[in-house]
Amino acid sequence: MNDMARVERVVDTGQAKITASDVQVHYGDTHAIKDVNVNIGDKTVTAFIGPSGCGKSTFLRCLNRMNDTIDVCRVKGNILLDGEDIYDKRVDPVQLRAKVGMVFQKPNPFPKSIYDNVAYGPRIHGLAKNKAELDEIVEKSLRRGAIWNEVKDRLDAPGTGLSGGQQQRLCIARAVATEPEVLLMDEPCSALDPIATAQVEELIDELRQRYSVVIVTHSMQQAARVSQKTAFFHLGNLVEFGETGQIFTNPQDPRTESYITGRIG
Amino acid sequence: MPTLWLVVSVLVLAAIGYVLGRKRALQSAGGDVRALHSLPNYYGLNVAFAALIPALGVLLIWLLAQPMIVENSVSGLIPDEAIPEDSTRGLVMSDVRRVASGLDFAVEQGAMTLAESQSLKAEAGDIRARLGEVGVALGAEVEAEVLDAAQRYRQMTTTGTHAMTLIVALLAVAGLAIAYARTHKDFRARNVVERGILVLLILAASLAILTTVGIVFSMLFETMNFFGLHSWKDFFFGGTWAPNFRGDSELSILPLLWGTLYISFVALLVAVPIGLFAAIYLAEYANKATRSFAKPLLEILAGIPTIVYGLFALLTVGPMLVDFFGKGGFLGVEWMAGATSVLTAGVVMGIMLIPFVSSLSDDIINAVPQSMRDGSLGLGATKSETVRQVVLPAALPGIVGAVLLAASRAIGETMIVVMGAGAIAKFALNPLESMTTITTRIVSQLTGDTDFASPETLVAFALGLTLFVLTLGLNILALYIVRKYREQYE
Ligand SMILES: Nc1ncnc2c1ncn2[C@@H]1O[C@H](COP(=O)(O)OP(=O)(O)OP(=O)(O)O)[C@@H](O)[C@H]1O
Ligand SMILES: [Mg+2]
């Protein structure tokens, strides 16, 4: 397969950006994540794959404490960002989320204009000194989200009026506008056509130069194309974690093998 | 009483029809339920409905129409000469009704025989005394024309009631018989019952609408009477409210409207921020336990009768304000003369409206999808930034709708302003002065000695109609805004 060829490239993963150890997540009585240990490298793209309902989104949401907003959700274990425990009492989840951005599984543009959607984060964090700078940030972010050409003439139109795929890219643009150090992307291409998908993958590759990216995907090809590391989840367990090339060519666990060859899912 | 018995008999008939219809359907299918087109209950219901609906429908219409028809034809019997100069046909007709019902009552009590009551002569001059014996008080001795009209009234009513009983009973029996005859295993009883239920629902809906229309029309007629007696220019554009029962009043709505709007404004100034903040706290910050006891507690406020709020205004808030702003008060100023004022009524009305605003806003804020909040929090916004910049703007149209609904309640509120606002109609800016509102003036124009031919009384209807139009407009606007908002998340 042509995609697999890219996996052979040299992987230069930096030191660990996020270290998660013994993470357990419970939703009430449901044990959604069981004993997960994972290192997410700096300047690396890490892909989470696994069958539906296995806990990929849940684990992703642990990394920027979005699970705090769910009443029934309890997270145990250690998650360190740059060596600091993000679940420590002294850590402000608001600041954490500014550093660890997120693109949600379901596109959720605000009922505001396209411009205001993208400018939301920069405004809150005071990233732009004046209107011109803000305009620049918005344009750059929309370009990176591969949606600039479609919306440049209607920045004042409501973001909720876009198509599903456009909304998804708007949310990507919104997330990159705040320049997070880590970007968590939950199935960012699920509603995109091949061209837009390729553009988003290009963006991920570009982001990797400076940041780390975690991407959840149901497309094996995509995982193989964009990521250096891959984690395979199954029923709340992290079954296998390693170099993407190795996971796809020489999986250690029989469950991984059957999943990537399409026998369980 | 006979009408009640009639209704009961029709109901009994319908119950019998239910049992019979069910039985016949089962028989026609040889006892096999599966051979029936519909479940057996439907056949029973079909027969019951056929007996019930036409009969009760005719009964209802008859009960509404008969008095009007009788009244009209009896009223024609009274010659113009028989109407005293200082009276009207309407007043004479009410005498007729009183005599007629008095005679009926006397017969019922056994003070007269039926034949006796029918052969009374006005010339004998003892009718007033004889009716007085059974407790029916008449103002004066009965005139011959009035007695004739009253006898005619009784006769027509009796005939009408007999005819009604007969027709309704016949309709019920006929309905039952026809439906019973049609009951057969292939008859589509289920579909017929379905249609019957639809008709029932439509009837209920149109009854509600018709009542509204009826209210509006009755107000409209009296309002037109008013404008026949008083210039509409003074009413809408005059500057003074000075009713004078000896005539020559100045009856302008503007000072009252000013008082109404001013007090409502103060009420909203109290209710909107407090209610909205309470809603935000409950919807966004409070945990489940707090919510489950704070929300019902807030809603208890909504259950307090407004007269109790009125007492609160009169006995607590008013004197307290006087303690601050009145003569010899804490502030050493003399801005407030009495306990009644715009501020007194406005503050108390605001308290009354808090649960209204908070409960509606709470529902609207809860309807904003969680994914919106997640999106904002995920970008590193704080909770209050999220509320201010995402949740509230998304909920704003709904909240505006809630505020408008609260405003229309404030404008129509009566008891609190009767007790807390005062009775002086004027244009003033000082909220510590007492002022009056449209609703309190309606109450005062209609209580006490009223003469429904004078503009001073009829003005109440014009005021009421204006108030109705005002609140209706606000409600329509509110509903429009709320509906527009709903479309956003569908
Ligand atoms: N808010 C919640 N409350 C209760 N249970 C939840 C909640 N969110 C997720 N779960 C449960 O946690 C488990 C993992 O869900 P999660 O959303 O992480 O799956 P996923 O791997 O992202 O699936 P998909 O690929 O379909 O998105 C599921 O069993 C799900 O039912
Ligand atoms: Mg998911």
Side-chain angles (χ1 to χ4, degrees):
Chain A
M1 227 172 5
N2 194 22
D3 293 324
M4 293 297 176
R6 284 182 65 184
V7 169
E8 302 298 328
R9 75 201 142 191
V10 187
V11 182
D12 59 334
T13 44
Q15 76 270 47
K17 180 81 181 166
I18 297 178
T19 316
S21 38
D22 304 329
V23 177
Q24 313 266 357
V25 181
H26 293 264
Y27 289 112
D29 294 335
T30 326
H31 198 173
I33 291 288
K34 299 161 194 159
D35 257 331
V36 168
N37 293 285
V38 92
N39 281 332
I40 289 163
D42 201 8
K43 302 194 169 62
T44 314
V45 178
T46 309
F48 288 177
I49 58 172
S52 189
C54 66
K56 305 178 296 293
S57 302
T58 301
F59 186 69
L60 203 66
R61 291 164 63 93
C62 291
L63 302 181
N64 66 346
R65 293 186 58 173
M66 277 312 289
N67 283 330
D68 292 12
T69 63
I70 300 172
D71 281 341
V72 292
C73 186
R74 278 173 295 125
V75 179
K76 276 184 279 185
N78 264 316
I79 300 178
L80 308 180
L81 173 70
D82 294 328
E84 239 189 299
D85 184 358
I86 63 168
Y87 280 89
D88 192 275
K89 284 210 174 55
R90 279 166 307 174
V91 170
D92 178 8
V94 170
Q95 260 167 347
L96 170 74
R97 290 180 199 134
K99 265 197 263 179
V100 184
M102 180 155 201
V103 177
F104 292 84
Q105 181 163 5
K106 270 201 309 213
N108 55 351
F110 304 133
K112 299 170 177 288
S113 73
I114 293 170
Y115 184 96
D116 287 339
N117 260 283
V118 181
Y120 186 84
R123 276 188 181 134
I124 280 183
H125 301 298
L127 300 183
K129 281 203 262 328
N130 49 39
K131 177 84 168 83
E133 239 177 71
L134 191 61
D135 287 349
E136 203 178 302
I137 292 177
V138 169
E139 177 176 345
K140 188 170 132 218
S141 307
L142 286 170
R143 279 190 197 283
R144 293 167 100 183
I147 191 181
W148 171 252
N149 287 333
E150 285 155 75
V151 300
K152 62 170 183 266
D153 301 322
R154 47 169 171 152
L155 292 176
D156 291 331
T160 38
L162 296 173
S163 79
Q166 288 172 326
Q167 289 187 5
Q168 208 161 35
R169 282 173 286 155
L170 178 64
C171 291
I172 294 172
R174 190 175 71 183
V176 298
T178 48
E179 303 276 347
E181 294 170 24
V182 180
L183 187 61
L184 312 173
M185 303 173 102
D186 201 344
E187 298 183 36
C189 302
S190 60
L192 301 189
D193 60 60
I195 295 169
T197 302
Q199 286 170 319
V200 170
E201 286 176 7
E202 231 166 75
L203 167 72
I204 293 172
D205 223 43
E206 176 208 321
L207 290 174
R208 182 172 71 88
Q209 311 302 318
R210 285 181 291 158
Y211 311 125
S212 54
V213 178
V214 184
I215 175 171
V216 173
T217 176
H218 280 293
S219 152
M220 298 306 115
Q221 285 85 350
Q222 184 171 50
R225 279 195 303 264
V226 300
S227 71
Q228 289 81 49
K229 293 272 194 143
T230 297
F232 171 64
F233 287 82
H234 187 241
L235 299 175
N237 295 304
L238 177 64
V239 174
E240 199 166 347
F241 176 58
E243 304 290 333
T244 300
Q246 183 242 316
I247 296 268
F248 280 96
T249 51
N250 186 19
Q252 304 297 304
D253 196 288
R255 284 171 291 178
T256 319
E257 188 181 1
S258 18
Y259 181 71
I260 57 177
T261 52
R263 262 175 285 147
I264 58 171
Chain B
M1 214 51 190
T3 317
L4 180 67
W5 283 119
L6 186 59
V7 173
V8 171
S9 341
V10 171
L11 284 175
V12 169
L13 208 63
I16 295 171
Y18 176 83
V19 177
L20 287 179
R22 208 186 128 97
K23 217 161 155 193
R24 183 176 162 105
L26 275 174
Q27 259 166 13
S28 75
D32 180 9
V33 176
R34 275 173 304 172
L36 291 172
H37 170 269
S38 318
L39 287 175
N41 279 351
Y42 282 110
Y43 292 95
L45 278 178
N46 176 42
V47 176
F49 279 177
L52 210 57
I53 291 174
L56 289 191
V58 167
L59 179 66
L60 190 71
I61 294 171
W62 199 297
L63 284 178
L64 289 177
Q66 178 175 308
M68 282 193 257
I69 295 171
V70 171
E71 188 104 347
N72 263 333
S73 77
V74 171
S75 160
L77 281 181
I78 301 176
D80 281 338
E81 310 88 70
I83 299 169
E85 247 166 47
D86 58 347
S87 185
T88 63
R89 186 169 291 271
L91 289 178
V92 174
M93 272 313 292
S94 71
D95 276 348
V96 170
R97 275 195 301 272
R98 211 169 306 142
V99 172
S101 67
L103 289 174
D104 283 341
F105 186 67
V107 172
E108 213 175 282
Q109 294 288 308
M112 286 181 204
T113 62
L114 187 61
E116 219 182 327
S117 79
Q118 281 160 350
S119 60
L120 283 175
K121 291 276 173 294
E123 293 76 40
D126 62 344
I127 296 176
R128 186 180 176 202
R130 294 195 62 179
L131 286 182
E133 278 164 30
V134 288
V136 179
L138 294 180
E141 197 44 72
V142 180
E143 305 283 328
E145 286 87 356
V146 171
L147 184 64
D148 282 350
Q151 296 293 20
R152 175 93 185 124
Y153 189 96
R154 292 178 65 203
Q155 186 202 338
M156 279 183 77
T157 309
T158 318
T159 325
T161 310
H162 286 323
M164 173 183 83
T165 312
L166 196 68
I167 289 179
V168 168
L170 271 178
L171 265 176
V173 173
L176 187 142
I178 292 172
Y180 183 73
R182 274 171 56 184
T183 302
H184 181 261
K185 73 179 172 32
D186 292 329
F187 179 64
R188 302 184 172 198
R190 195 174 168 208
N191 308 24
V192 176
V193 169
E194 199 67 24
R195 223 171 310 138
I197 287 173
L198 178 70
V199 169
L200 220 66
L201 297 180
I202 290 177
L203 227 67
S206 31
L207 212 65
I209 294 170
L210 280 180
T211 327
T212 317
V213 173
I215 292 173
V216 172
F217 267 98
S218 69
M219 301 259 284
L220 204 62
F221 283 130
E222 299 294 349
T223 305
M224 279 177 345
N225 284 344
F226 168 70
F227 285 127
L229 295 169
H230 194 90
S231 110
W232 63 271
K233 276 194 196 126
D234 180 53
F235 180 74
F236 286 114
F237 303 112
T240 324
W241 172 263
N244 180 350
F245 276 96
R246 267 152 291 153
D248 209 17
S249 311
E250 285 182 273
L251 300 170
S252 165
I253 194 176
L254 290 182
L256 309 182
L257 193 62
W258 168 252
T260 301
L261 295 180
Y262 198 177
I263 292 173
S264 304
F265 176 73
V266 173
L268 290 180
L269 226 50
V270 173
V272 171
I274 298 180
L276 195 55
F277 290 169
I280 292 172
Y281 173 72
L282 285 179
E284 297 287 327
Y285 291 88
N287 58 26
K288 258 216 183 92
T290 321
R291 211 180 134 79
S292 66
F293 97 101
K295 205 171 173 194
L297 216 59
L298 248 178
E299 276 158 10
I300 285 179
L301 271 183
I304 299 176
T306 55
I307 185 89
V308 175
Y309 281 108
L311 289 174
F312 179 59
L314 198 64
L315 299 179
T316 312
V317 177
M320 204 177 75
L321 288 172
V322 173
D323 281 347
F324 277 94
F325 301 106
K327 193 176 179 182
F330 300 135
L331 300 181
V333 291
E334 209 192 312
W335 292 339
M336 204 168 166
T340 57
S341 73
V342 168
L343 201 60
T344 313
V347 166
V348 174
M349 205 194 281
I351 295 171
M352 178 196 81
L353 291 176
I354 288 172
F356 197 73
V357 174
S358 77
S359 154
L360 279 174
S361 309
D362 181 60
D363 290 348
I364 290 156
I365 291 174
N366 274 324
V368 175
Q370 178 63 29
S371 66
M372 292 291 138
R373 296 183 186 93
D374 283 353
S376 169
L377 294 173
L379 289 168
T382 63
K383 206 148 189 172
S384 80
E385 281 167 342
T386 303
V387 169
R388 249 183 303 131
Q389 304 199 24
V390 176
V391 177
L392 283 187
L396 190 65
I399 291 171
V400 170
V403 170
L404 288 180
L405 285 178
S408 82
R409 277 209 58 182
I411 289 173
E413 170 52 39
T414 311
M415 247 24 255
I416 295 174
V417 282
V418 164
M419 299 178 78
I424 306 160
K426 65 178 163 203
F427 296 99
L429 277 174
N430 181 359
L432 297 171
E433 279 182 52
S434 74
M435 260 176 237
T436 194
T437 66
I438 297 180
T439 49
T440 55
R441 286 313 92 192
I442 294 178
V443 172
S444 73
Q445 294 312 103
L446 287 181
T447 42
D449 247 354
T450 51
D451 165 13
F452 278 88
S454 75
E456 286 75 23
T457 305
L458 287 175
V459 70
F461 294 97
L463 291 174
L465 193 65
T466 317
L467 202 61
F468 176 81
V469 170
L470 213 67
T471 50
L472 184 74
L474 273 180
N475 280 336
I476 290 176
L477 190 68
L479 285 179
Y480 170 76
I481 292 175
V482 170
R483 192 162 310 152
K484 206 169 150 190
Y485 155 79
R486 262 204 209 112
E487 285 163 4
Q488 259 184 27
Y489 297 116
E490 267 166 12

